[in-house]
Amino acid sequence: MEVDQHGQPLARYARNKVRTSRYTLLTFLPKNLFEQFHRIANIYFLALVIFQLFPVFGAASASTAALPILFILIVTAIKDGVEDYRRAKLDEEVNTSAVTRLGQWHNVNQPLDPRPWYQRLLRINAPGKVTKGVQKLREKEAGEGMRIVLSKGGEGDRVSMSTMDPNESTLSLGKPSGAGGRHLEDIASIDSHTYPPGLPPAAEVGSWGQTKSFSAYQQSIPSRSSLGVIDWKRRTSGTARWERTLWKKLEVGDIVLLRENEQVPADVVILSTSGPDGICYLETKNLDGETNLKPRKALNATSSIASEEDLEKSSFILESEPPHQNLYLYSGVLRYTDPANGDSRKEGITINKLLRGCTVWNTAWIIGLVVFTGPDTKIYLNGGITPSKQSKIAKETNFNVIVNFAFLLIICTLSAVIYGVLDGESNTSVKIYEPGVDPTSSSVLNALVTFVSCLIAFQNIVPVSLFISIEIVKTIQAYFIAQDVDMYYKPFDTSCVPKNWGISDDLGQIEYVFSDKTGTLTQNVMEFQKCSIHGVVYGEGVTEAQRGAATRQGRGDTVEPEELARKLAQLKDTMVATLAKLFKNRYAQIDKLTLVSPKLAEDITDRTSEQAGHITAFFRALAVCHTVLADKPRQAEKPWYLDYKAESPDEAALVGAARDVGFPFVGKSKDAIDIEVMGQPERYTLLKTLEFNSTRKRMSVIVRTPDGRIVLYCKGADSVVYERLSASVDPALKEKTTKDMDMFANGGLRTLCIAYRVLTEDQFLMWVRTFDAASAATENREEEVEKAASNIEQELLLLGATALEDKLQEGVPDAIETLHRAGIKLWILTGDKLQTAIEIGFSCNLLKQDMEIMILSCDNPEGTRAQIEAGLNKIASVLGPPSLDPRKRGFVPGAQAAFAVVIDGETLRYALTPDLKPLFLNLGTQCETVVCCRVSPAQKALTVKLVKEGRKAMTLSIGDSANDVAMIQEANVGCGLLGHEGSQAAMSADYAFGQFRFPTKLLLVHGRWSYQRIADMHSNFFYKNVIWTLAMFWYLIFCYFDATYLYDYSFILLYNLIFTSLPVIVLGAFDQDINAKAALAFPELYIRGIRGLEYTRIKFWSYMLDGLYQSAVVFFIPYLVWSLGLPTSWNGKGIDSLADFGTTVGIAAIFAANTYRATTPPLIPVGSSEMVDLHADLSPHPSYYSSSDIPIPSPIPPSLYRFADGEVGERQPRRSSSRGASSSPTSIPPLPTVGEAFEMQVRPSHSQTHSRSGSQGFRQHVPAYSSEDALPSPFEAVSGDEARPESWIGGRAL
């Protein structure tokens, strides 16, 4: 360690205090103003205010002119301040959380006086002084009686508690345990917070000593011999004490004590644990989203530390790598001197680490060394900066603002040039009647002054209030989304949570949805359904995928869910009764038994058969080969009830199935595994555990059996286990087991192979030396350990295979069908096997029987290219060449041949290379469904990026775990599910909810509404500003272009701020074309958003031109009235002043802007005579068709009608003069047969009103009808394909 001349360490480390807020009290005002003036519009209006300080430009009052910009700045600052205050509050909650640290002990990694210079200058926070925050914490815990004194005792001892003096800095007393005189159980905590704060607690945790029986925790009494880093000959002061402090007070090099259910305050290397084997368990939900327990092991050299005295007598150096983001890699070396002989020793550090945000479980206490603090911890390095997402309309708005600004410069320049030319003329009336009005004698300078004056006068054409109005509207929209009870999920007590309020309109334009499968489409709750043992298949359960396949094959009547459940219940009773005759299974949980097989019970009962031995060996392997923890949460009430806590749902399901069949895993100690085999207890000595990871795809344990043999049990993916099987395994058995696994996969089940190997003593001893050497290596440790593990996992003997089902979430098939009907294409990115993914796809309506499914599976780039090109040729031969026209985005289900692609991970790796990427993009985007199997998190993000950037398409990603965060952040809209895999995905998402089915309403209702509202709001904003500004421009023609104000100046300032702000905000927040039920009943309406038809450049220019026309109306009609009429009021007084005329024009412009959307006639109920008479002329519903003729199928082809004589024919192009039944249609398109009421717009094409589109006149109302309502006989509609002409394709009459 490098030190300065005073012996103080040179290295300085980050504090453990973290801050995610952007501001402090001192920096808020300058920093917020700096950020707000990054917006060009704010700079523009600030410049206008500065110009108006000079009287030469003719402004009435600079203070009045500053009101709009001040209002916007203040409102935005308040909003930013409130948001940042909430972040700061959460930061403070984290930073002031309690932790136990070793006190009255010098940390050599920190200087004696670590204060910054200004604190030393002000003489505050002196080293060693107990701060107010720490003192308040200790007073709180002591005052609530939370200091618990625990005496070391055996089973059944009572826990004694006492309250300590709150002013003391130590937290110990009780029976001595070494020179320090304290037990680790003497430290108290009241923490029950979650990390980050605000999330629901993972479990109800009370104060220490209240919910846990600490009498069962055995304190390790330190030995007086030299153990690892402890040197008992070393003299110490003996003053070190455990003390309570705050998270933010921790420094690198501190020693911390963590207790069960506490969260880890910093990145910590484990020195010692309460377990005699040095193992501890933690939950990493806050870090990577996984809720399963993960084991960690203390360093061998420090595992004997058990008290403050041990720590004082320890001496070592930890060489650590610098901070980095990888959650699963850490490399360090512990160097120390052996106290016995003075030799230098070292030990490698890899997984011996706890990361900030993890929670300690099933471990009494942990002593750790802080290595990374605050912003250097992995949770903050991985948090990074959430990508800033801007909606599609917001990006287009920037262009429109620039266009308006350019238009402003043009009219200002035009006015200035004309004024300059006119001002340069001599002998004009101005020289006579208005002498001295020019600011200077130079025509050029006067023109420049006029230019600036026009900028001030025409300032409203650049809608500065648009941005704040949009924020208000999107806040209201986010509130509506959050309050939607249809998206509330009771099991998690959560509704849809909008986290990014600025992209709600993007929800109405999504073309591609990318989704994870496990935990997103499925429940991530595994059920052991089937197994194959020595070539014999057991399990009578029918999976959802099998039921879907039976339905597709026309055998749906054989698998009715009620009948199936009844038969399975009978079979389960038979199986349980058979097993009960053989032995008593005290630990069985019959209600959780999912492996239903009477044949299994019969075979295991027949002790004379070889199959009984194979079954016993198979389930014994399941009971032994795992890392599960067995807990008895209600031992007093239910002594035989076992609750398994596993690293994965798969492991819990396997061990649970073994328990229910008669092979329960009872518990695990330091080096023993206790199980029961058909009622008889067995104890296995655990020798080594080779853990599972995504690279190995297998896990193994080496145990010594009760008869003294050494056996290796292994379970893993079939491809990995099969290549390690012994040559002596019967080929017929291998073939039969392979066929069984294929059958399981075809049923949508997840498969694992189970195998074993018997080792000799010499084989094990030779291997364990190699493995220990690899584990202690300081370089390439992971590679060496994997190599050593692979050496022993050879010559395996096959026991059989397991099959687990991950059931679909409620409503998934209907949700996918609805999204398909909306024209949205779905891409599923999963880690399952190819065949399993296909069957799951069929069961959830992702894949359909009428789809042409192309399977891409190849192990080289050339083959991948050939398969992709073959797929493209196949699609081209049916659909023709692909179209990149944005107006043809989306698809109409059933309108043309449907294709789907299923691709495995290896092939996808080649497909994403630069050479093949364009080909794969063309292939995938022409398919309605794409299923990617065996994909990594990085491939998920690359796939989303490929489609988003390659097709400029709007994408949405849905995931539920940490490995989905990359694709969630890559998509235009990211959605996270709150579920069994934790909250990491939800924390990183733009929208968080509880179930996959909720995005249907989020997109089809809220998204569609938001898109239409924001689109209309933007257009109306530009329209109303053009009316106002150009009316002033017309006035300049009559006043020498000298920038004279037509309106009172307060009108100019308050036009956008007050006079016209509310109507457009109400439009953007509340407008509906149809209600929610109708939007869900007709998902096809959503395709307008996919094609971006609600907000286009043409629409923008049409609004601008309409504003130009309206400005001429509101100016020249009053002008003609004043010019041609008598400008006199009703009382005879003259109203010929500019104020009178300008106010009239201004009020007219305000009314024109505010009533632009409110000029439609009242709604007319369907069935009235007016409706019947008009209906012959009605154009198809505009939601179904637009000017670009969108081919969206409706309940009946809108161009076909049934006439009174029963004939079906084309709708007449125009209304006939005769009302005869043979020439005039008398029926209307039928009401959609949905079970609940809805509304629909009907607009006549012939009505020209004050609307922007001539074809969209007044609204008419369709009343509520239920499915039981019968329409009158003249209104009978064509149903299904009845009388449909051949020219009808995709809902469009050709």
Side-chain angles (χ1 to χ4, degrees):
M1 182 172 64
E2 297 182 356
V3 296
D4 58 16
Q5 66 272 20
H6 304 292
Q8 299 297 306
L10 292 175
R12 293 291 185 270
Y13 304 101
R15 297 179 61 193
N16 201 42
K17 181 178 181 178
V18 295
R19 194 181 75 192
T20 59
S21 57
R22 292 184 294 173
Y23 312 114
T24 65
L25 287 175
L26 293 177
T27 63
F28 173 73
L29 188 61
K31 191 172 182 180
N32 186 262
L33 288 176
F34 178 76
E35 291 174 352
Q36 289 201 57
F37 281 108
H38 268 70
R39 298 175 182 172
I40 189 66
N42 287 347
I43 296 177
Y44 164 70
F45 273 88
L46 177 64
L48 291 182
V49 171
I50 294 174
F51 285 142
Q52 292 174 74
L53 294 174
F54 303 99
V56 69
F57 298 117
S61 170
S63 58
T64 307
L67 288 178
I69 186 66
L70 283 176
F71 176 80
I72 292 171
L73 292 177
I74 291 172
V75 171
T76 305
I78 292 174
K79 180 185 73 71
D80 292 343
V82 170
E83 291 178 354
D84 205 61
Y85 172 75
R86 291 174 179 172
R87 284 191 290 265
K89 195 173 180 180
L90 295 178
D91 291 342
E92 184 66 13
E93 184 177 343
V94 172
N95 291 327
T96 57
S97 300
V99 67
T100 305
R101 177 182 65 179
L102 188 66
Q104 301 185 30
W105 163 84
H106 175 52
N107 181 355
V108 296
N109 298 279
Q110 301 297 327
L112 293 175
D113 190 353
R115 295 178 297 172
W117 63 269
Y118 61 89
Q119 291 188 3
R120 289 197 297 268
L121 181 64
L122 299 175
R123 297 182 179 181
I124 58 176
N125 297 332
K129 180 182 178 182
V130 178
T131 62
K132 291 183 179 179
V134 175
Q135 187 174 3
K136 183 178 179 181
L137 168 69
R138 295 174 182 173
E139 289 176 353
K140 178 182 178 182
E141 294 187 349
E144 295 181 0
M146 293 302 168
R147 294 173 184 261
I148 302 172
V149 177
L150 298 175
S151 60
K152 188 176 75 169
E155 191 70 26
D157 287 352
R158 297 180 63 86
V159 180
S160 61
M161 295 178 287
S162 66
T163 304
M164 305 301 301
D165 183 356
N167 295 320
E168 293 182 7
S169 61
T170 61
L171 297 177
S172 60
L173 279 181
K175 294 187 178 182
S177 176
R182 277 159 302 279
H183 293 279
L184 297 178
E185 283 77 6
D186 296 344
I187 312 305
S189 172
I190 58 169
D191 283 356
S192 62
H193 65 272
T194 59
Y195 188 90
L199 297 176
E204 291 297 328
V205 179
S207 58
W208 289 4
Q210 294 181 351
T211 61
K212 299 293 179 181
S213 175
F214 290 97
S215 61
Y217 296 153
Q218 297 295 318
Q219 172 71 32
S220 298
I221 300 177
S223 170
R224 290 295 177 179
S225 60
S226 296
L227 298 175
V229 299
I230 303 176
D231 182 5
W232 286 103
K233 299 177 182 179
R234 182 179 180 184
R235 291 191 175 186
T236 62
S237 62
T239 59
R241 299 289 186 272
W242 294 116
E243 63 182 22
R244 297 291 274 169
T245 189
L246 305 176
W247 277 27
K248 64 182 179 181
K249 298 296 182 181
L250 291 183
E251 304 282 357
V252 171
D254 280 347
I255 306 293
V256 294
L257 170 65
L258 305 174
R259 297 301 299 265
E260 185 171 10
N261 300 328
E262 275 195 336
Q263 293 199 7
V264 183
D267 288 357
V268 175
V269 169
I270 307 170
L271 300 180
S272 179
T273 73
S274 59
D277 53 357
I279 296 293
C280 64
Y281 298 91
L282 65 145
E283 180 189 74
T284 60
K285 180 175 71 173
N286 296 322
L287 196 65
D288 59 12
E290 298 182 8
T291 57
N292 308 304
L293 297 186
K294 296 177 175 58
R296 295 291 184 266
K297 192 175 187 304
L299 297 173
N300 293 327
T302 61
S303 60
S304 59
I305 294 176
S307 68
E308 303 96 310
E309 180 190 23
D310 295 346
L311 289 167
E312 285 190 293
K313 292 184 177 297
S314 300
S315 177
F316 56 85
I317 295 175
L318 190 148
E319 296 179 356
S320 173
E321 66 181 357
H324 60 76
Q325 290 181 316
N326 195 316
L327 294 174
Y328 309 104
L329 289 180
Y330 177 73
S331 180
V333 178
L334 184 79
R335 301 184 185 275
Y336 64 99
T337 301
D338 191 335
N341 50 31
D343 294 342
S344 296
R345 297 186 180 276
K346 63 181 180 180
E347 181 179 351
I349 307 173
T350 52
I351 202 173
N352 319 80
K353 192 176 179 187
L354 303 177
L355 303 181
R356 177 176 176 139
C358 300
T359 304
V360 179
W361 283 95
N362 290 87
T363 307
W365 52 263
I366 298 172
I367 296 176
L369 173 69
V370 176
V371 290
F372 297 129
T373 52
D376 290 338
T377 56
K378 290 187 182 293
I379 189 173
Y380 279 93
L381 291 175
N382 276 273
I385 301 174
T386 301
S388 178
K389 295 182 180 180
Q390 191 178 24
S391 70
K392 187 177 180 181
I393 290 183
K395 297 174 183 176
E396 186 68 18
T397 301
N398 294 333
F399 167 79
N400 296 337
V401 170
I402 292 173
V403 169
N404 274 26
F405 189 75
F407 180 65
L408 172 65
L409 293 179
I410 290 173
I411 61 176
C412 291
T413 302
L414 179 64
S415 301
V417 170
I418 294 176
Y419 178 80
V421 172
L422 295 177
D423 188 64
E425 296 181 357
S426 58
N427 300 324
T428 62
S429 60
V430 174
K431 307 295 184 182
I432 300 173
Y433 295 104
E434 298 182 8
V437 296
D438 291 336
T440 68
S441 58
S442 170
S443 299
V444 175
L445 292 179
N446 292 340
L448 291 177
V449 171
T450 301
F451 177 83
V452 176
S453 299
C454 287
L455 282 179
I456 298 171
F458 301 152
Q459 60 183 274
N460 285 322
I461 201 171
V462 178
V464 67
S465 58
L466 170 63
F467 301 101
I468 193 168
S469 299
I470 289 174
E471 289 191 8
I472 293 173
V473 165
K474 290 187 175 181
T475 300
I476 297 173
Q477 292 174 351
Y479 174 79
F480 287 156
I481 292 173
Q483 296 298 313
D484 193 331
V485 294
D486 292 337
M487 293 190 288
Y488 173 78
Y489 190 52
K490 188 174 182 179
F492 295 155
D493 190 26
T494 181
S495 58
C496 182
V497 181
K499 300 194 170 190
N500 187 342
W501 296 0
I503 58 173
S504 58
D505 48 296
D506 280 351
L507 293 171
Q509 306 172 74
I510 300 300
E511 183 179 1
Y512 292 91
V513 169
F514 296 84
S515 174
D516 178 39
K517 185 190 78 69
T518 303
T520 304
L521 298 180
T522 62
Q523 301 176 27
N524 201 23
V525 177
M526 304 299 173
E527 292 186 357
F528 195 133
Q529 290 283 358
K530 298 177 183 292
C531 62
S532 173
I533 304 174
H534 201 69
V536 180
V537 175
Y538 298 102
E540 303 295 336
V542 178
T543 66
E544 291 173 330
Q546 289 174 316
R547 288 195 292 271
T551 302
R552 293 192 305 274
Q553 297 168 9
R555 297 185 290 109
D557 56 336
T558 63
V559 287
E560 287 295 333
E562 297 81 6
E563 180 68 15
L564 177 63
R566 187 181 62 81
K567 290 182 178 180
L568 284 178
Q570 293 176 351
L571 294 174
K572 179 190 286 190
D573 293 340
T574 303
M575 175 183 177
V576 172
T578 304
L579 292 175
K581 295 176 183 178
L582 180 62
F583 61 90
K584 182 179 181 181
N585 187 359
R586 300 173 297 178
Y587 298 98
Q589 298 177 21
I590 303 304
D591 58 324
K592 296 184 179 180
L593 176 61
T594 56
L595 179 61
V596 179
S597 177
K599 178 177 172 55
L600 174 67
E602 294 171 1
D603 288 350
I604 201 173
T605 304
D606 186 4
R607 298 295 184 91
T608 61
S609 66
E610 292 185 0
Q611 186 65 14
H614 296 311
I615 294 173
T616 302
F618 178 84
F619 283 103
R620 182 183 279 120
L622 293 184
V624 172
C625 183
H626 57 78
T627 58
V628 173
L629 296 178
D631 187 23
K632 295 182 179 180
R634 293 178 289 177
Q635 188 168 1
E637 303 172 11
K638 297 182 178 180
W640 312 116
Y641 181 83
L642 291 174
D643 183 21
Y644 292 138
K645 297 180 178 180
E647 291 191 47
S648 69
D650 303 66
E651 276 214 320
L654 294 175
V655 179
R659 173 199 61 205
D660 298 334
V661 172
F663 299 80
F665 161 64
V666 179
K668 182 186 295 183
S669 60
K670 176 182 179 181
D671 54 2
I673 299 174
D674 293 320
I675 69 170
E676 281 192 5
V677 177
M678 294 186 290
Q680 301 300 316
E682 293 184 357
R683 171 166 287 192
Y684 291 79
T685 302
L686 180 61
L687 302 177
K688 284 292 179 184
T689 300
L690 307 177
E691 296 181 351
F692 175 89
N693 61 46
S694 58
T695 303
R696 285 170 42 78
K697 297 182 180 179
R698 65 191 185 278
M699 74 89 58
S700 302
V701 296
I702 302 175
V703 297
R704 188 179 297 276
T705 63
D707 59 6
R709 295 182 302 160
I710 298 177
V711 179
L712 179 145
Y713 289 108
C714 179
K715 65 181 179 185
D718 54 349
S719 58
V720 175
V721 173
Y722 261 56
E723 66 185 15
R724 288 167 170 76
L725 291 179
S726 172
S728 62
V729 176
D730 185 2
L733 174 61
K734 292 171 61 176
E735 182 179 358
K736 179 62 171 62
T737 305
T738 300
K739 290 181 178 179
D740 292 342
M741 286 190 292
D742 290 341
M743 179 186 68
F744 296 155
N746 291 338
L749 299 174
R750 299 156 62 101
T751 60
L752 282 177
C753 265
I754 311 298
Y756 76 102
R757 176 187 180 185
V758 179
L759 302 172
T760 65
E761 294 285 345
D762 291 340
Q763 286 176 327
F764 175 72
L765 290 175
M766 290 179 61
W767 172 81
V768 79
R769 284 194 291 267
T770 303
F771 184 81
D772 289 344
S775 300
T778 57
E779 295 181 359
N780 301 322
R781 187 182 303 113
E782 288 78 11
E783 292 81 357
E784 294 297 325
V785 169
E786 169 57 25
K787 183 178 178 181
S790 183
N791 288 338
I792 199 68
E793 294 170 326
Q794 302 291 337
E795 300 297 319
L796 301 177
L797 301 178
L798 185 61
L799 285 172
T802 63
L804 304 178
E805 180 186 16
D806 189 3
K807 289 186 174 295
L808 292 174
Q809 291 182 12
E810 177 187 352
V812 166
D814 293 337
I816 291 177
E817 177 66 22
T818 302
L819 293 176
H820 265 142
R821 287 178 58 197
I824 297 173
K825 299 180 180 180
L826 274 80
W827 289 46
I828 302 300
L829 311 173
T830 177
D832 285 338
K833 294 172 59 177
L834 188 140
Q835 193 61 37
T836 302
I838 291 176
E839 292 304 320
I840 293 294
F842 275 114
S843 68
C844 66
N845 278 340
L846 193 65
L847 302 175
K848 301 177 183 177
Q849 199 66 23
D850 59 351
M851 280 185 177
E852 185 74 29
I853 300 175
M854 297 174 285
I855 299 177
L856 307 183
S857 181
C858 195
D859 57 359
N860 59 78
E862 294 76 16
T864 301
R865 176 184 288 274
Q867 291 184 2
I868 293 176
E869 290 177 345
L872 287 170
N873 292 333
K874 189 172 189 177
I875 294 177
S877 65
V878 177
L879 303 181
S883 173
L884 300 181
D885 187 353
R887 294 174 296 177
K888 296 182 180 179
R889 289 185 181 274
F891 69 95
V892 180
Q896 58 187 9
F899 292 88
V901 165
V902 182
I903 182 171
D904 63 24
E906 186 69 13
T907 311
L908 181 63
R909 183 167 66 88
Y910 297 125
L912 293 177
T913 58
D915 293 339
L916 299 183
K917 196 160 50 173
L919 292 176
F920 177 63
L921 178 63
N922 282 332
L923 177 64
T925 52
Q926 292 185 73
C927 297
E928 294 182 10
T929 299
V930 176
V931 180
C932 303
C933 310
R934 300 290 193 186
V935 294
S936 66
Q939 286 178 324
K940 290 181 180 182
L942 288 174
T943 305
V944 175
K945 184 178 181 180
L946 173 66
V947 177
K948 183 180 75 170
E949 296 183 354
R951 283 290 180 266
K952 305 298 180 184
M954 299 298 294
T955 59
L956 179 144
S957 292
I958 308 177
D960 72 313
S961 61
N963 60 10
D964 301 318
V965 169
M967 76 168 182
I968 285 174
Q969 293 186 342
E970 182 62 46
N972 298 96
V973 179
C975 296
L977 264 67
L978 295 163
H980 298 284
E981 287 296 318
S983 57
Q984 188 72 9
M987 290 166 59
S988 305
D990 303 305
Y991 294 87
F993 39 78
Q995 291 278 278
F996 178 84
R997 66 181 185 273
F998 294 157
T1000 55
K1001 188 169 187 182
L1002 184 65
L1003 297 181
L1004 304 186
V1005 177
H1006 294 287
R1008 183 174 172 275
W1009 282 347
S1010 296
Y1011 172 52
Q1012 290 185 337
R1013 291 166 176 171
I1014 296 296
D1016 286 343
M1017 178 184 175
H1018 275 69
S1019 302
N1020 273 272
F1021 233 104
F1022 290 108
Y1023 161 80
K1024 70 186 183 70
N1025 286 330
V1026 168
I1027 292 178
W1028 181 261
T1029 303
L1030 290 186
M1032 293 184 64
F1033 179 76
W1034 301 132
Y1035 177 67
L1036 296 186
I1037 298 174
F1038 303 95
C1039 64
Y1040 211 63
F1041 286 91
D1042 63 352
T1044 301
Y1045 295 159
L1046 172 62
Y1047 316 121
D1048 184 86
Y1049 190 68
S1050 60
F1051 279 30
I1052 297 175
L1053 295 179
L1054 301 179
Y1055 176 74
N1056 275 325
L1057 198 62
I1058 295 178
F1059 296 149
T1060 61
S1061 60
L1062 188 59
V1064 75
I1065 290 176
V1066 171
L1067 167 69
F1070 302 104
D1071 187 47
Q1072 293 182 17
D1073 59 342
I1074 56 176
N1075 68 9
K1077 292 184 177 67
L1080 291 173
F1082 295 98
E1084 295 85 358
L1085 304 179
Y1086 188 81
I1087 202 169
R1088 286 185 60 83
I1090 295 176
R1091 296 177 177 177
L1093 299 178
E1094 300 292 348
Y1095 192 71
T1096 62
R1097 295 278 175 88
I1098 294 176
K1099 183 176 182 179
F1100 168 74
W1101 286 113
S1102 67
Y1103 272 69
M1104 295 287 285
L1105 293 176
D1106 198 359
L1108 173 65
Y1109 162 72
Q1110 296 291 347
S1111 69
V1113 171
V1114 300
F1115 176 79
F1116 284 105
I1117 289 181
Y1119 173 76
L1120 293 175
V1121 170
W1122 253 256
S1123 300
L1124 302 178
L1126 183 64
T1128 306
S1129 68
W1130 64 272
N1131 57 9
K1133 293 183 178 180
I1135 52 172
D1136 52 356
S1137 68
L1138 178 61
D1140 295 322
F1141 176 70
T1143 301
T1144 303
V1145 174
I1147 295 299
I1150 292 171
F1151 267 91
N1154 289 342
T1155 59
Y1156 199 55
R1157 296 277 298 183
T1159 56
T1160 56
L1163 301 177
I1164 304 175
V1166 169
S1168 66
S1169 58
E1170 295 91 343
M1171 183 67 188
V1172 174
D1173 292 340
L1174 286 173
H1175 202 290
D1177 280 345
L1178 294 184
S1179 300
H1181 188 283
S1183 295
Y1184 287 84
Y1185 290 89
S1186 69
S1187 58
S1188 59
D1189 197 16
I1190 302 174
I1192 303 176
S1194 60
I1196 176 175
S1199 60
L1200 296 181
Y1201 290 83
R1202 186 186 299 278
F1203 294 87
D1205 58 2
E1207 181 181 356
V1208 176
E1210 297 286 338
R1211 176 176 61 83
Q1212 298 300 318
R1214 56 178 57 88
R1215 197 170 181 178
S1216 173
S1217 59
S1218 171
R1219 292 185 179 268
S1222 60
S1223 60
S1224 177
T1226 60
S1227 65
I1228 63 173
L1231 293 171
T1233 57
V1234 294
E1236 298 172 310
F1238 67 92
E1239 292 180 351
M1240 181 179 294
Q1241 288 180 345
V1242 181
R1243 298 187 178 103
S1245 60
H1246 59 78
S1247 176
Q1248 293 288 346
T1249 67
H1250 191 46
S1251 173
R1252 288 172 296 281
S1253 174
S1255 64
Q1256 299 181 6
F1258 63 86
R1259 295 186 179 183
Q1260 300 199 17
H1261 177 65
V1262 179
Y1265 277 82
S1266 66
S1267 57
E1268 292 80 15
D1269 292 333
L1271 292 173
S1273 57
F1275 294 66
E1276 184 179 359
V1278 180
S1279 62
D1281 294 329
E1282 178 184 349
R1284 178 171 291 186
E1286 293 183 359
S1287 62
W1288 176 260
I1289 298 177
R1292 176 170 57 184
L1294 300 181

